[in-house]
Amino acid sequence: MVFAKREFHPNPAPAVCTASRVLARFTWGKREFVLRQTILAPGGDSGWHYHDGTLLVLVTGGPLDHPATDCVPVTKRPYRCFREPSGRDHAHLARNTGSAPVRLTVLYINPSGCPLSQSIPPPPCTGASEALGTSP
């Protein structure tokens, strides 16, 4: 098991005004487990993305705006846990529309060797049309 430095680092584009730190990382069989904390500043967002693995998320500050690619509003309240299923069919955006930081503690359960997320272009319902690559 690897315990990482406790410093927050800005997340790469397309994320905006977000920072994360990895608390622990280990591989067991064909799965990699990553425990990570993320802070979304007011106005910050993750960029549209999906995950190759399953995530267990604890919102420790919030609320978190968490729409899927249908753009239907979904709010995750503070001190609540939720599961993010794997795959492109479960693409979403995490954003902070409030005035205080949103804090997340996330357990990633990924196939070994996969990135933590895969970026996608914004869905048509957002009115945006920029194409994005894969984020680490």
Side-chain angles (χ1 to χ4, degrees):
M1 180 178 300
V2 174
F3 294 96
K5 293 183 179 179
R6 304 278 179 179
E7 300 168 7
F8 281 90
H9 298 282
N11 292 328
V16 181
C17 299
T18 68
S20 296
R21 64 183 177 180
V22 173
L23 300 177
R25 180 185 301 254
F26 67 94
T27 301
W28 187 11
K30 295 182 180 182
R31 298 278 177 214
E32 180 178 40
F33 295 79
V34 179
L35 182 62
R36 185 177 186 219
Q37 289 181 320
T38 297
I39 298 174
L40 289 85
D45 74 61
S46 63
W48 289 94
H49 67 281
Y50 67 94
H51 305 280
D52 293 318
T54 298
L55 278 63
L56 302 175
V57 182
L58 171 63
V59 180
T60 54
L64 175 68
D65 187 31
H66 198 262
T69 55
D70 60 6
C71 295
V72 172
V74 174
T75 301
K76 304 295 186 180
R77 300 281 174 213
Y79 304 103
R80 300 279 196 253
C81 291
F82 66 95
R83 178 181 164 271
E84 286 186 2
S86 64
R88 191 176 184 99
D89 290 345
H90 299 286
H92 57 278
L93 175 73
R95 74 179 152 211
N96 181 355
T97 58
S99 58
V102 171
R103 295 177 179 270
L104 307 173
T105 301
V106 183
L107 176 62
Y108 296 77
I109 306 168
N110 276 346
S112 292
C114 287
L116 295 182
S117 66
Q118 303 274 358
S119 295
I120 63 165
C125 57
T126 65
S129 62
E130 71 182 83
L132 300 174
T134 300
S135 70

